[in-house]
């Protein structure tokens, strides 16, 4: 399988928002006819409606801070905000988002050797990784009055196709 990406990405340094407009051309190099495609939306773990908040464990210490208690209730609204999901001609595509996965239903099956081009326009609030933890997000340096962004899996990307599982 192969996927080519053409992306227009912008970081709003004042509001800590990442926006993207991407065109993906997917090549079906498998022997299978594909009726849908899967994309990974990793940033959705930070979505306010994600169950990440509900299953997160908290270590109980002798003292519990106000921030510890506040973090039990989702206060940060991250996750992909999808503005457009459309084919190359601009026609809206049917899709379903399930947590960190997005399934795009193809209007007609993609035959072996075929290609399908589509566009996704999106944005999300970048998380403060010093507050929320993790390896991805921003860190603010007050002394220098600037931000450092270390963002992994920052864009909707194709899920790996496995020939033994599809």
């Amino acid at each position: 399988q192969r996927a080519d990406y053409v992306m227009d990405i912008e970081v709003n340094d004042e509001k800590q928002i990442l926006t993207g407009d991407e065109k993906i051309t997917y090549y079906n190099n498998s022997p299978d006819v594909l009726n849908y495609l899967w994309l990974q939306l990793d940033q959705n773990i930070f979505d306010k409606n994600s169950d990440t908040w509900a299953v997160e464990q908290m270590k109980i210490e002798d003292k519990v801070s106000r921030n510890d208690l506040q973090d039990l209730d989702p206060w940060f609204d991250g996750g992909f905000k999808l503005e457009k999901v459309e084919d190359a001609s601009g026609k809206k595509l049917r899709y379903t988002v399930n947590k960190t996965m997005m399934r795009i239903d193809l209007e007609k099956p993609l035959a072996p050797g075929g290609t399908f081009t589509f566009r996704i326009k999106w944005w999300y609030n970048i998380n403060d990784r010093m507050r929320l933890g993790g390896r991805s997000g921003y860190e603010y340096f007050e002394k220098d009055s600037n931000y450092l962004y270390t963002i992994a899996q920052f864009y909707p990307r194709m899920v790996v196709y496995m020939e033994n599982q599809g």
Side-chain angles (χ1 to χ4, degrees), residues 67 81 84 91 96 103 105 121 123 158:
N67 279 349
K81 313 306 188 241
K84 289 183 184 178
K91 183 179 178 188
T96 303
R103 180 178 134 158
D105 296 317
K121 188 172 181 180
W123 67 273
M158 298 305 302

Side-chain angles (χ1 to χ4, degrees), residues 19-36:
T19 59
D21 191 350
E22 62 186 283
K23 180 177 85 169
I24 303 171
T25 301
Y26 186 79
Y27 299 81
N28 183 8
N29 294 326
S30 79
D32 302 321
V33 173
L34 305 177
N35 294 308
Y36 50 82

Side-chain angles (χ1 to χ4, degrees), residues 13 16 138-149:
D13 201 42
Q16 286 66 59
Y138 73 83
E139 183 176 352
Y140 180 69
F141 293 90
E142 190 171 344
K143 176 184 166 206
D144 300 321
S145 188
N146 68 8
Y147 294 87
L148 171 70
Y149 299 93

Side-chain angles (χ1 to χ4, degrees), residues 97-113:
V97 174
N98 182 8
K99 300 180 184 187
T100 60
M101 305 290 291
M102 179 168 90
R103 180 178 134 158
I104 295 178
D105 296 317
L106 302 177
E107 192 166 295
K108 67 178 193 171
L110 183 58

Side-chain angles (χ1 to χ4, degrees), residues 23-56:
K23 180 177 85 169
I24 303 171
T25 301
Y26 186 79
Y27 299 81
N28 183 8
N29 294 326
S30 79
D32 302 321
V33 173
L34 305 177
N35 294 308
Y36 50 82
L37 301 174
W38 285 99
L39 283 89
Q40 191 71 41
L41 303 177
D42 295 290
Q43 293 298 321
N44 279 358
I45 64 167
F46 295 114
D47 187 271
K48 198 167 187 158
N49 297 316
S50 169
D51 59 5
T52 302
W53 310 101
V55 299
E56 188 173 49

